[in-house]
Coordinates of all heavy atoms in Angstrom, one line a residue:
M19 N 6.7 -273.0 -101.1 CA 5.8 -272.1 -101.8 C 6.2 -270.6 -101.6 O 6.5 -270.3 -100.5 CB 4.4 -272.3 -101.3 CG 3.4 -271.5 -102.1 SD 1.8 -272.2 -101.9 CE 1.0 -271.0 -100.8
K20 N 6.3 -269.9 -102.7 CA 6.7 -268.5 -102.6 C 5.4 -267.6 -102.4 O 4.3 -267.9 -102.9 CB 7.4 -268.0 -103.8 CG 8.8 -268.7 -104.0 CD 9.5 -268.2 -105.2 CE 10.9 -268.9 -105.3 NZ 11.6 -268.3 -106.4
S21 N 5.6 -266.5 -101.6 CA 4.5 -265.5 -101.4 C 4.9 -264.2 -102.1 O 6.1 -263.8 -102.0 CB 4.3 -265.3 -100.0 OG 3.8 -266.5 -99.3
F22 N 3.9 -263.6 -102.7 CA 4.2 -262.3 -103.3 C 3.1 -261.3 -102.9 O 1.9 -261.7 -102.8 CB 4.1 -262.4 -104.9 CG 5.4 -263.1 -105.4 CD1 5.4 -264.5 -105.5 CD2 6.5 -262.4 -105.8 CE1 6.5 -265.2 -106.1 CE2 7.6 -263.1 -106.3 CZ 7.6 -264.5 -106.4
I23 N 3.5 -260.1 -102.7 CA 2.5 -259.0 -102.6 C 2.9 -258.0 -103.7 O 4.0 -257.4 -103.7 CB 2.7 -258.3 -101.2 CG1 2.3 -259.3 -100.1 CG2 1.8 -257.0 -101.2 CD1 2.4 -258.7 -98.7
G24 N 2.0 -257.9 -104.6 CA 2.3 -257.1 -105.8 C 3.4 -257.8 -106.6 O 3.4 -259.0 -106.8
H25 N 4.5 -257.1 -106.9 CA 5.7 -257.7 -107.5 C 6.7 -258.1 -106.6 O 7.8 -258.5 -107.0 CB 6.2 -256.7 -108.6 CG 5.2 -256.4 -109.7 ND1 4.9 -257.3 -110.6 CD2 4.6 -255.2 -110.0 CE1 4.0 -256.7 -111.4 NE2 3.8 -255.5 -111.1
H26 N 6.5 -257.9 -105.3 CA 7.5 -258.1 -104.3 C 7.4 -259.5 -103.7 O 6.3 -259.9 -103.2 CB 7.4 -257.1 -103.1 CG 7.5 -255.7 -103.6 ND1 8.7 -255.1 -103.9 CD2 6.6 -254.7 -103.9 CE1 8.5 -253.9 -104.3 NE2 7.2 -253.6 -104.3
E27 N 8.5 -260.3 -103.7 CA 8.5 -261.5 -103.0 C 8.7 -261.4 -101.5 O 9.5 -260.6 -101.1 CB 9.7 -262.4 -103.5 CG 9.7 -263.8 -102.9 CD 10.7 -264.7 -103.4 OE1 11.5 -264.3 -104.4 OE2 10.9 -265.8 -102.9
V28 N 7.8 -262.1 -100.8 CA 7.8 -262.0 -99.3 C 8.5 -263.2 -98.8 O 8.0 -264.3 -99.0 CB 6.4 -261.8 -98.8 CG1 6.4 -261.7 -97.3 CG2 5.7 -260.6 -99.4
A29 N 9.6 -263.1 -98.1 CA 10.3 -264.2 -97.6 C 10.2 -264.3 -96.0 O 10.4 -265.4 -95.5 CB 11.8 -264.1 -98.0
T30 N 10.0 -263.2 -95.4 CA 10.0 -263.2 -93.9 C 8.8 -262.4 -93.4 O 8.1 -261.7 -94.1 CB 11.3 -262.6 -93.3 OG1 11.3 -261.2 -93.6 CG2 12.5 -263.2 -93.8
D31 N 8.5 -262.6 -92.1 CA 7.5 -261.8 -91.4 C 7.8 -260.3 -91.5 O 6.9 -259.5 -91.7 CB 7.3 -262.2 -90.0 CG 6.7 -263.5 -89.8 OD1 6.1 -264.1 -90.8 OD2 6.8 -264.1 -88.7
A32 N 9.1 -259.9 -91.4 CA 9.5 -258.5 -91.5 C 9.1 -258.0 -92.9 O 8.8 -256.8 -93.0 CB 11.0 -258.4 -91.3
D33 N 9.3 -258.8 -94.0 CA 8.9 -258.4 -95.3 C 7.4 -258.0 -95.4 O 7.0 -257.0 -96.0 CB 9.2 -259.4 -96.4 CG 10.7 -259.7 -96.6 OD1 11.5 -258.9 -96.2 OD2 11.0 -260.8 -97.1
Y34 N 6.6 -258.8 -94.8 CA 5.2 -258.6 -94.8 C 4.9 -257.2 -94.1 O 4.1 -256.4 -94.6 CB 4.4 -259.6 -94.0 CG 4.1 -260.9 -94.8 CD1 4.7 -262.1 -94.6 CD2 3.1 -260.9 -95.8 CE1 4.4 -263.2 -95.3 CE2 2.9 -262.0 -96.6 CZ 3.5 -263.2 -96.3 OH 3.2 -264.3 -97.0
L35 N 5.5 -257.0 -93.0 CA 5.3 -255.7 -92.2 C 5.8 -254.6 -93.0 O 5.1 -253.5 -93.1 CB 6.0 -255.8 -90.8 CG 5.4 -256.8 -89.8 CD1 6.2 -256.9 -88.6 CD2 4.0 -256.3 -89.5
E36 N 7.0 -254.7 -93.6 CA 7.5 -253.6 -94.4 C 6.6 -253.2 -95.5 O 6.4 -252.0 -95.8 CB 8.9 -253.8 -94.8 CG 9.9 -253.8 -93.7 CD 11.4 -253.9 -94.2 OE1 11.6 -253.8 -95.4 OE2 12.2 -254.1 -93.3
L37 N 6.1 -254.2 -96.2 CA 5.2 -254.0 -97.3 C 3.9 -253.4 -96.9 O 3.3 -252.5 -97.5 CB 5.0 -255.2 -98.2 CG 6.2 -255.7 -99.0 CD1 6.0 -257.1 -99.5 CD2 6.5 -254.7 -100.1
A38 N 3.4 -253.8 -95.7 CA 2.1 -253.3 -95.2 C 2.3 -251.8 -94.8 O 1.4 -251.0 -95.0 CB 1.7 -254.2 -94.0
L39 N 3.4 -251.5 -94.2 CA 3.6 -250.2 -93.7 C 4.2 -249.2 -94.8 O 4.0 -248.0 -94.7 CB 4.7 -250.2 -92.6 CG 4.3 -250.9 -91.3 CD1 5.5 -251.0 -90.3 CD2 3.1 -250.2 -90.7
G40 N 4.9 -249.8 -95.8 CA 5.4 -249.0 -96.8 C 6.8 -248.3 -96.4 O 7.2 -247.4 -97.1
T41 N 7.3 -248.7 -95.3 CA 8.5 -248.2 -94.8 C 9.4 -249.3 -94.2 O 8.8 -250.3 -93.7 CB 8.3 -247.1 -93.7 OG1 7.6 -247.7 -92.6 CG2 7.5 -246.0 -94.2
P42 N 10.7 -249.1 -94.1 CA 11.4 -250.2 -93.4 C 11.2 -250.2 -91.9 O 11.0 -249.2 -91.3 CB 12.9 -249.8 -93.7 CG 12.9 -248.4 -94.2 CD 11.5 -248.1 -94.7
L43 N 11.2 -251.4 -91.3 CA 11.0 -251.5 -89.8 C 12.0 -250.7 -89.0 O 11.6 -250.2 -88.0 CB 11.0 -252.9 -89.4 CG 9.8 -253.8 -90.0 CD1 10.0 -255.3 -89.5 CD2 8.5 -253.2 -89.5
E44 N 13.2 -250.6 -89.5 CA 14.3 -250.0 -88.8 C 13.9 -248.5 -88.6 O 14.4 -247.9 -87.6 CB 15.6 -250.1 -89.5 CG 16.2 -251.5 -89.5 CD 15.6 -252.3 -90.6 OE1 14.8 -251.8 -91.5 OE2 15.8 -253.6 -90.6
L45 N 13.1 -247.9 -89.4 CA 12.7 -246.5 -89.3 C 12.0 -246.3 -87.9 O 12.1 -245.3 -87.3 CB 11.8 -246.1 -90.5 CG 11.3 -244.6 -90.3 CD1 12.4 -243.6 -90.4 CD2 10.3 -244.4 -91.4
W46 N 11.1 -247.3 -87.6 CA 10.3 -247.2 -86.4 C 11.0 -247.8 -85.2 O 10.7 -247.4 -84.1 CB 9.0 -247.8 -86.7 CG 8.3 -247.3 -87.9 CD1 8.2 -248.0 -89.1 CD2 7.8 -246.0 -88.2 NE1 7.7 -247.2 -90.1 CE2 7.4 -246.0 -89.5 CE3 7.6 -244.9 -87.4 CZ2 6.8 -244.8 -90.1 CZ3 7.1 -243.8 -87.9 CH2 6.7 -243.7 -89.2
L47 N 11.7 -248.9 -85.4 CA 12.3 -249.6 -84.3 C 13.7 -249.2 -83.9 O 14.2 -249.5 -82.9 CB 12.2 -251.1 -84.6 CG 10.8 -251.7 -84.9 CD1 11.0 -253.2 -85.2 CD2 9.9 -251.5 -83.7
G48 N 14.4 -248.6 -84.9 CA 15.8 -248.2 -84.7 C 16.7 -249.4 -84.9 O 16.2 -250.5 -85.3
E49 N 18.0 -249.2 -84.8 CA 18.9 -250.3 -85.1 C 19.9 -250.3 -83.9 O 20.2 -249.3 -83.3 CB 19.7 -250.0 -86.3 CG 18.8 -250.1 -87.6 CD 19.7 -250.1 -88.9 OE1 20.5 -251.0 -89.0 OE2 19.5 -249.2 -89.6
E50 N 20.3 -251.5 -83.5 CA 21.2 -251.7 -82.4 C 22.5 -250.9 -82.7 O 23.1 -250.9 -83.8 CB 21.6 -253.1 -82.2 CG 22.3 -253.4 -80.9 CD 22.4 -254.9 -80.7 OE1 21.5 -255.6 -81.1 OE2 23.4 -255.3 -80.1
G51 N 23.0 -250.1 -81.7 CA 24.2 -249.4 -81.9 C 24.1 -248.1 -82.6 O 25.2 -247.4 -82.9
E52 N 22.9 -247.6 -82.8 CA 22.8 -246.3 -83.5 C 23.3 -245.2 -82.6 O 23.0 -245.3 -81.4 CB 21.4 -246.1 -84.1 CG 20.3 -245.8 -83.1 CD 19.0 -245.6 -83.7 OE1 18.8 -245.6 -85.0 OE2 18.0 -245.5 -82.9
S53 N 23.9 -244.2 -83.2 CA 24.3 -243.0 -82.3 C 23.1 -242.1 -82.0 O 22.1 -242.2 -82.6 CB 25.4 -242.2 -83.1 OG 24.8 -241.6 -84.2
D54 N 23.4 -241.2 -81.1 CA 22.3 -240.2 -80.8 C 21.9 -239.4 -82.0 O 20.8 -239.1 -82.3 CB 22.8 -239.3 -79.7 CG 22.9 -240.0 -78.3 OD1 22.3 -241.1 -78.2 OD2 23.6 -239.4 -77.4
E55 N 22.9 -239.1 -82.9 CA 22.7 -238.3 -84.1 C 21.8 -239.1 -85.1 O 20.9 -238.6 -85.7 CB 24.0 -237.8 -84.7 CG 24.7 -236.7 -83.9 CD 26.0 -236.4 -84.4 OE1 26.5 -237.2 -85.3 OE2 26.6 -235.4 -84.0
E56 N 22.2 -240.4 -85.2 CA 21.4 -241.3 -86.1 C 20.0 -241.4 -85.7 O 19.1 -241.4 -86.5 CB 22.1 -242.6 -86.2 CG 23.5 -242.6 -87.0 CD 24.3 -243.8 -86.8 OE1 24.2 -244.5 -85.8 OE2 25.0 -244.2 -87.8
R57 N 19.8 -241.6 -84.3 CA 18.5 -241.7 -83.8 C 17.7 -240.5 -84.0 O 16.5 -240.6 -84.4 CB 18.6 -242.0 -82.3 CG 17.2 -242.2 -81.6 CD 17.4 -242.6 -80.2 NE 16.1 -243.1 -79.6 CZ 15.2 -242.3 -79.1 NH1 15.5 -241.0 -78.9 NH2 14.1 -242.7 -78.6
A58 N 18.2 -239.3 -83.8 CA 17.5 -238.1 -84.0 C 17.1 -237.9 -85.5 O 16.0 -237.5 -85.8 CB 18.4 -236.9 -83.6
A59 N 18.0 -238.3 -86.4 CA 17.7 -238.2 -87.8 C 16.6 -239.2 -88.2 O 15.7 -238.8 -89.0 CB 19.0 -238.4 -88.6
R60 N 16.7 -240.4 -87.6 CA 15.6 -241.4 -87.9 C 14.3 -240.9 -87.4 O 13.3 -241.0 -88.1 CB 16.0 -242.7 -87.3 CG 15.0 -243.8 -87.4 CD 15.5 -245.1 -86.7 NE 15.8 -245.0 -85.4 CZ 14.9 -245.0 -84.4 NH1 13.7 -245.1 -84.7 NH2 15.3 -244.9 -83.1
L61 N 14.3 -240.4 -86.2 CA 13.0 -239.9 -85.6 C 12.4 -238.7 -86.4 O 11.2 -238.6 -86.6 CB 13.2 -239.6 -84.2 CG 13.4 -240.8 -83.3 CD1 13.7 -240.4 -81.8 CD2 12.3 -241.8 -83.4
D62 N 13.3 -237.8 -86.9 CA 12.9 -236.7 -87.7 C 12.2 -237.2 -89.0 O 11.2 -236.7 -89.4 CB 14.1 -235.8 -88.1 CG 14.4 -234.9 -86.9 OD1 13.6 -234.7 -86.0 OD2 15.6 -234.3 -87.0
A63 N 12.9 -238.2 -89.6 CA 12.3 -238.8 -90.8 C 11.0 -239.4 -90.6 O 10.0 -239.3 -91.4 CB 13.3 -239.8 -91.5
A64 N 10.9 -240.1 -89.5 CA 9.6 -240.8 -89.1 C 8.5 -239.7 -88.9 O 7.4 -239.9 -89.3 CB 9.8 -241.6 -87.8
R65 N 8.8 -238.6 -88.2 CA 7.9 -237.5 -88.0 C 7.4 -236.9 -89.3 O 6.2 -236.6 -89.5 CB 8.4 -236.5 -87.1 CG 8.3 -236.8 -85.6 CD 8.7 -235.6 -84.8 NE 10.1 -235.4 -84.7 CZ 10.9 -236.0 -83.9 NH1 10.5 -237.0 -83.1 NH2 12.2 -235.8 -83.8
D66 N 8.3 -236.8 -90.3 CA 8.0 -236.3 -91.6 C 7.0 -237.2 -92.3 O 6.1 -236.7 -93.0 CB 9.2 -236.1 -92.4 CG 10.1 -234.9 -92.0 OD1 9.6 -234.0 -91.2 OD2 11.3 -234.8 -92.4
I67 N 7.3 -238.5 -92.2 CA 6.5 -239.5 -92.9 C 5.0 -239.4 -92.3 O 4.0 -239.5 -93.0 CB 7.0 -240.9 -92.8 CG1 8.3 -241.0 -93.7 CG2 6.0 -241.9 -93.2 CD1 9.1 -242.2 -93.6
L68 N 5.0 -239.4 -90.9 CA 3.6 -239.3 -90.3 C 2.9 -238.0 -90.6 O 1.7 -238.0 -90.7 CB 3.8 -239.5 -88.8 CG 4.3 -240.9 -88.4 CD1 4.5 -240.9 -86.8 CD2 3.2 -241.9 -88.7
A69 N 3.6 -236.9 -90.8 CA 3.0 -235.6 -91.1 C 2.4 -235.7 -92.5 O 1.4 -235.2 -92.8 CB 4.0 -234.5 -91.0
D70 N 3.1 -236.4 -93.4 CA 2.7 -236.5 -94.8 C 1.5 -237.5 -94.9 O 0.7 -237.5 -95.9 CB 3.8 -237.0 -95.7 CG 4.8 -235.9 -96.0 OD1 4.5 -234.7 -95.7 OD2 5.9 -236.2 -96.4
D71 N 1.4 -238.5 -94.0 CA 0.4 -239.6 -94.1 C -0.1 -239.8 -92.7 O 0.2 -240.8 -92.0 CB 1.0 -240.9 -94.7 CG 0.0 -241.9 -94.9 OD1 -1.2 -241.7 -94.7 OD2 0.4 -243.1 -95.3
P72 N -1.0 -239.0 -92.2 CA -1.5 -239.2 -90.8 C -2.3 -240.5 -90.6 O -2.4 -240.9 -89.5 CB -2.5 -237.9 -90.6 CG -2.4 -237.1 -91.8 CD -1.5 -237.8 -92.8
E73 N -2.8 -241.0 -91.7 CA -3.5 -242.3 -91.5 C -2.6 -243.5 -91.2 O -3.0 -244.5 -90.8 CB -4.4 -242.6 -92.7 CG -5.5 -241.6 -92.9 CD -6.3 -241.9 -94.2 OE1 -6.1 -242.9 -94.8 OE2 -7.2 -241.0 -94.5
L74 N -1.3 -243.3 -91.5 CA -0.3 -244.4 -91.2 C -0.3 -244.7 -89.8 O -0.1 -245.9 -89.4 CB 1.1 -243.9 -91.7 CG 2.2 -244.9 -91.5 CD1 1.9 -246.2 -92.4 CD2 3.5 -244.3 -91.9
I75 N -0.6 -243.8 -88.8 CA -0.6 -244.1 -87.4 C -1.7 -245.2 -87.1 O -1.4 -246.1 -86.4 CB -0.9 -242.9 -86.6 CG1 0.3 -241.9 -86.7 CG2 -1.1 -243.2 -85.1 CD1 0.1 -240.6 -86.1
D76 N -2.9 -245.1 -87.7 CA -3.9 -246.0 -87.5 C -3.5 -247.4 -88.1 O -3.8 -248.4 -87.5 CB -5.2 -245.5 -88.2 CG -5.8 -244.4 -87.5 OD1 -5.6 -244.2 -86.3 OD2 -6.6 -243.6 -88.1
S77 N -2.9 -247.3 -89.3 CA -2.5 -248.6 -89.9 C -1.4 -249.3 -89.0 O -1.5 -250.5 -88.8 CB -1.9 -248.4 -91.3 OG -2.8 -247.8 -92.1
V78 N -0.5 -248.5 -88.5 CA 0.6 -249.1 -87.7 C 0.0 -249.7 -86.4 O 0.3 -250.8 -86.0 CB 1.7 -248.1 -87.4 CG1 2.6 -248.6 -86.3 CG2 2.4 -247.7 -88.7
S79 N -0.9 -248.9 -85.8 CA -1.5 -249.4 -84.6 C -2.3 -250.7 -84.8 O -2.3 -251.6 -84.0 CB -2.5 -248.4 -84.0 OG -1.8 -247.2 -83.7
R80 N -3.1 -250.8 -85.9 CA -3.9 -251.9 -86.2 C -3.0 -253.1 -86.5 O -3.2 -254.2 -85.9 CB -4.7 -251.7 -87.5 CG -5.6 -252.9 -87.9 CD -6.4 -252.6 -89.2 NE -5.6 -252.0 -90.2 CZ -4.8 -252.6 -91.0 NH1 -4.5 -253.9 -90.8 NH2 -4.1 -252.0 -91.9
I81 N -1.9 -253.0 -87.3 CA -1.0 -254.0 -87.6 C -0.3 -254.5 -86.3 O -0.2 -255.7 -86.0 CB 0.1 -253.6 -88.6 CG1 -0.6 -253.4 -90.0 CG2 1.2 -254.6 -88.7 CD1 0.3 -252.7 -90.9
A82 N 0.1 -253.6 -85.4 CA 0.7 -254.0 -84.2 C -0.2 -254.7 -83.2 O 0.1 -255.8 -82.7 CB 1.2 -252.7 -83.4
A83 N -1.4 -254.3 -83.2 CA -2.4 -255.0 -82.3 C -2.7 -256.4 -82.9 O -2.8 -257.4 -82.1 CB -3.7 -254.2 -82.3
E84 N -2.8 -256.6 -84.2 CA -3.1 -257.8 -84.8 C -1.9 -258.8 -84.6 O -2.1 -260.0 -84.3 CB -3.4 -257.7 -86.3 CG -4.7 -257.1 -86.6 CD -4.9 -256.8 -88.1 OE1 -4.0 -257.0 -88.9 OE2 -6.0 -256.3 -88.4
A85 N -0.7 -258.2 -84.6 CA 0.5 -259.1 -84.4 C 0.6 -259.5 -82.9 O 0.9 -260.7 -82.7 CB 1.8 -258.3 -84.8
I86 N 0.3 -258.6 -82.1 CA 0.4 -259.0 -80.6 C -0.7 -260.0 -80.3 O -0.5 -261.0 -79.6 CB 0.2 -257.7 -79.7 CG1 1.4 -256.8 -79.9 CG2 -0.1 -258.1 -78.3 CD1 1.3 -255.5 -79.3
E87 N -1.9 -259.8 -80.8 CA -3.0 -260.7 -80.6 C -2.6 -262.1 -81.2 O -2.8 -263.1 -80.5 CB -4.3 -260.3 -81.2 CG -5.5 -261.1 -80.9 CD -6.7 -260.6 -81.6 OE1 -6.7 -259.7 -82.4 OE2 -7.8 -261.1 -81.1
A88 N -2.1 -262.2 -82.4 CA -1.8 -263.4 -83.0 C -0.6 -264.2 -82.3 O -0.6 -265.4 -82.2 CB -1.4 -263.2 -84.5
H89 N 0.3 -263.4 -81.8 CA 1.5 -264.0 -81.2 C 1.6 -263.8 -79.7 O 2.7 -264.1 -79.1 CB 2.7 -263.4 -81.8 CG 2.8 -263.7 -83.3 ND1 3.1 -264.9 -83.9 CD2 2.6 -262.8 -84.3 CE1 3.0 -264.7 -85.2 NE2 2.7 -263.5 -85.5
A90 N 0.5 -263.5 -79.0 CA 0.6 -263.2 -77.5 C 1.1 -264.4 -76.8 O 1.9 -264.2 -75.8 CB -0.8 -262.8 -77.1
P91 N 0.7 -265.7 -77.0 CA 1.3 -266.8 -76.2 C 2.7 -266.9 -76.3 O 3.4 -267.3 -75.3 CB 0.5 -268.0 -76.8 CG -0.7 -267.5 -77.5 CD -0.3 -266.1 -77.9
V92 N 3.3 -266.5 -77.5 CA 4.7 -266.6 -77.6 C 5.4 -265.4 -77.0 O 6.5 -265.5 -76.4 CB 5.1 -266.8 -79.2 CG1 6.6 -266.7 -79.4 CG2 4.5 -268.0 -79.7
L93 N 4.8 -264.2 -77.3 CA 5.5 -263.0 -76.8 C 5.3 -262.9 -75.2 O 6.2 -262.4 -74.6 CB 4.7 -261.8 -77.4 CG 4.9 -261.6 -78.9 CD1 4.0 -260.5 -79.4 CD2 6.4 -261.3 -79.2
F94 N 4.2 -263.4 -74.7 CA 3.9 -263.2 -73.2 C 3.6 -264.6 -72.7 O 2.5 -264.7 -72.2 CB 2.8 -262.2 -73.0 CG 3.0 -260.9 -73.8 CD1 2.3 -260.6 -74.8 CD2 4.0 -260.0 -73.3 CE1 2.5 -259.4 -75.5 CE2 4.2 -258.8 -74.0 CZ 3.4 -258.5 -75.1
P95 N 4.5 -265.5 -72.6 CA 4.1 -266.9 -72.1 C 3.7 -266.9 -70.7 O 2.8 -267.7 -70.4 CB 5.4 -267.7 -72.4 CG 6.5 -266.7 -72.4 CD 5.9 -265.4 -73.0
S96 N 4.2 -266.0 -69.9 CA 3.8 -266.0 -68.5 C 2.3 -265.6 -68.3 O 1.6 -265.9 -67.4 CB 4.7 -265.1 -67.6 OG 4.6 -263.8 -68.1
L97 N 1.8 -264.8 -69.3 CA 0.4 -264.4 -69.1 C -0.6 -265.5 -69.3 O -1.7 -265.6 -68.7 CB 0.1 -263.3 -70.1 CG 0.7 -262.0 -69.9 CD1 0.3 -261.0 -71.0 CD2 0.4 -261.4 -68.6
S98 N -0.2 -266.5 -70.1 CA -1.1 -267.6 -70.3 C -1.3 -268.5 -69.1 O -2.2 -269.3 -69.0 CB -0.7 -268.5 -71.5 OG 0.6 -269.0 -71.3
R99 N -0.3 -268.4 -68.1 CA -0.4 -269.2 -66.9 C -1.0 -268.5 -65.8 O -1.2 -269.0 -64.7 CB 1.0 -269.6 -66.5 CG 1.7 -270.5 -67.5 CD 3.1 -271.0 -67.0 NE 4.0 -270.0 -66.7 CZ 4.9 -269.5 -67.5 NH1 5.0 -270.0 -68.7 NH2 5.7 -268.6 -67.1
L100 N -1.4 -267.2 -66.0 CA -2.0 -266.4 -64.9 C -3.5 -266.9 -64.7 O -4.2 -267.1 -65.7 CB -2.0 -264.9 -65.2 CG -0.6 -264.3 -65.2 CD1 -0.7 -262.8 -65.6 CD2 0.0 -264.4 -63.8
P101 N -4.0 -267.0 -63.5 CA -5.4 -267.3 -63.3 C -6.2 -266.2 -63.7 O -5.8 -265.0 -63.6 CB -5.5 -267.6 -61.8 CG -4.3 -266.8 -61.2 CD -3.2 -266.8 -62.2
R102 N -7.4 -266.5 -64.3 CA -8.3 -265.4 -64.6 C -9.0 -264.9 -63.4 O -9.3 -265.7 -62.5 CB -9.3 -265.9 -65.6 CG -8.7 -266.2 -67.0 CD -9.8 -266.5 -67.9 NE -9.2 -266.7 -69.3 CZ -9.4 -265.8 -70.2 NH1 -10.0 -264.7 -70.0 NH2 -8.8 -266.0 -71.4
P103 N -9.3 -263.6 -63.3 CA -10.0 -263.1 -62.1 C -11.4 -263.6 -62.1 O -12.0 -263.9 -63.1 CB -9.9 -261.6 -62.3 CG -9.6 -261.4 -63.7 CD -8.9 -262.6 -64.2
A104 N -12.0 -263.8 -60.9 CA -13.3 -264.2 -60.7 C -14.3 -263.2 -61.3 O -14.0 -262.0 -61.1 CB -13.6 -264.5 -59.3
R105 N -15.3 -263.6 -61.9 CA -16.3 -262.6 -62.4 C -17.1 -262.0 -61.2 O -17.5 -262.7 -60.3 CB -17.2 -263.3 -63.4 CG -16.5 -263.7 -64.7 CD -17.4 -264.3 -65.6 NE -18.5 -263.3 -65.9 CZ -19.1 -263.2 -67.0 NH1 -18.9 -264.0 -68.0 NH2 -20.1 -262.3 -67.2
S106 N -17.3 -260.7 -61.3 CA -18.0 -260.0 -60.3 C -19.5 -260.2 -60.5 O -19.9 -260.2 -61.7 CB -17.6 -258.6 -60.3 OG -18.5 -257.8 -59.4
T107 N -20.2 -260.3 -59.5 CA -21.7 -260.5 -59.6 C -22.3 -259.1 -59.5 O -23.5 -258.9 -59.6 CB -22.3 -261.3 -58.5 OG1 -22.0 -260.8 -57.2 CG2 -21.8 -262.7 -58.6
G108 N -21.5 -258.1 -59.2 CA -22.0 -256.7 -59.1 C -22.5 -256.4 -57.7 O -22.8 -255.3 -57.3
R109 N -22.5 -257.4 -56.8 CA -22.8 -257.2 -55.4 C -21.6 -257.1 -54.5 O -20.7 -257.8 -54.8 CB -23.7 -258.3 -54.9 CG -25.1 -258.3 -55.6 CD -25.9 -259.5 -55.2 NE -26.2 -259.4 -53.8 CZ -26.8 -260.4 -53.1 NH1 -27.2 -261.5 -53.7 NH2 -27.0 -260.2 -51.8
T110 N -21.6 -256.2 -53.6 CA -20.4 -256.1 -52.7 C -20.7 -256.9 -51.5 O -21.8 -257.3 -51.2 CB -20.2 -254.6 -52.3 OG1 -21.3 -254.2 -51.6 CG2 -19.9 -253.8 -53.6
A111 N -19.6 -257.2 -50.7 CA -19.8 -257.9 -49.5 C -20.7 -257.2 -48.5 O -21.5 -257.8 -47.8 CB -18.4 -258.1 -48.9
N112 N -20.6 -255.8 -48.4 CA -21.4 -255.0 -47.5 C -22.8 -255.1 -47.9 O -23.7 -255.1 -47.1 CB -20.9 -253.6 -47.5 CG -19.6 -253.5 -46.8 OD1 -19.2 -254.3 -46.0 ND2 -18.8 -252.5 -47.1
A113 N -23.1 -255.1 -49.2 CA -24.5 -255.2 -49.6 C -25.1 -256.5 -49.2 O -26.3 -256.6 -48.8 CB -24.6 -254.9 -51.2
S114 N -24.4 -257.6 -49.3 CA -24.8 -258.9 -48.9 C -25.2 -258.9 -47.4 O -26.2 -259.5 -47.0 CB -23.8 -260.0 -49.2 OG -23.4 -259.9 -50.5
K115 N -24.3 -258.3 -46.6 CA -24.5 -258.3 -45.2 C -25.8 -257.5 -44.8 O -26.5 -257.8 -43.9 CB -23.3 -257.8 -44.5 CG -22.1 -258.7 -44.5 CD -20.9 -258.1 -43.8 CE -19.7 -258.9 -44.0 NZ -18.5 -258.3 -43.5
A116 N -26.0 -256.3 -45.5 CA -27.1 -255.5 -45.3 C -28.4 -256.2 -45.5 O -29.4 -256.0 -44.8 CB -27.0 -254.2 -46.1
V117 N -28.4 -257.0 -46.6 CA -29.6 -257.7 -47.0 C -29.9 -258.8 -46.0 O -31.0 -259.0 -45.6 CB -29.5 -258.3 -48.4 CG1 -30.6 -259.2 -48.7 CG2 -29.4 -257.2 -49.4
A118 N -28.8 -259.4 -45.5 CA -29.0 -260.6 -44.5 C -29.4 -260.0 -43.2 O -30.1 -260.7 -42.4 CB -27.6 -261.3 -44.4
A119 N -29.1 -258.8 -42.8 CA -29.5 -258.3 -41.5 C -30.9 -257.9 -41.4 O -31.9 -258.2 -41.4 CB -28.6 -257.0 -41.2

């Protein structure tokens, strides 16, 4: 089954993200092996885009948070094996001793 957003066919998760952001992911993530000059130019372009559309920061943050939440077990498998901390009752050990005395 094919997926479309508007007139654009979406084939990968990256396609969904690019269409949601309106910019290529490489603009924000960089590319392997880019030179210092290429990186500086990419970051300048990103700053210009953010200056033109300040609400994009909120959109990017929301999309990133949703992606992390949806894929946390895959992204951070060791976190799912960590024990959860015990819930605090709000009483400290000293307060318990004071009441007992």
Side-chain angles (χ1 to χ4, degrees):
M19 182 158 108
K20 294 183 179 184
S21 295
F22 288 87
I23 296 179
H25 298 292
H26 302 279
E27 182 177 356
V28 179
T30 67
D31 290 341
D33 291 343
Y34 279 109
L35 290 172
E36 286 187 15
L37 288 168
L39 296 173
T41 61
L43 292 178
E44 292 81 11
L45 176 67
W46 310 105
L47 302 176
E49 293 189 61
E50 192 172 326
E52 72 182 355
S53 69
D54 289 342
E55 290 172 349
E56 291 169 327
R57 182 175 189 272
R60 177 179 57 78
L61 293 176
D62 282 343
R65 277 190 283 278
D66 288 344
I67 289 170
L68 291 174
D70 289 342
D71 185 5
E73 292 179 10
L74 183 60
I75 295 171
D76 292 335
S77 298
V78 170
S79 299
R80 180 183 45 78
I81 291 167
E84 289 172 359
I86 290 169
E87 182 178 15
H89 300 286
V92 175
L93 295 171
F94 310 107
S96 61
L97 292 181
S98 63
R99 294 189 299 268
L100 293 176
R102 292 188 174 255
R105 291 185 56 153
S106 173
T107 62
R109 296 177 60 186
T110 64
N112 291 337
S114 308
K115 290 177 187 175
V117 171

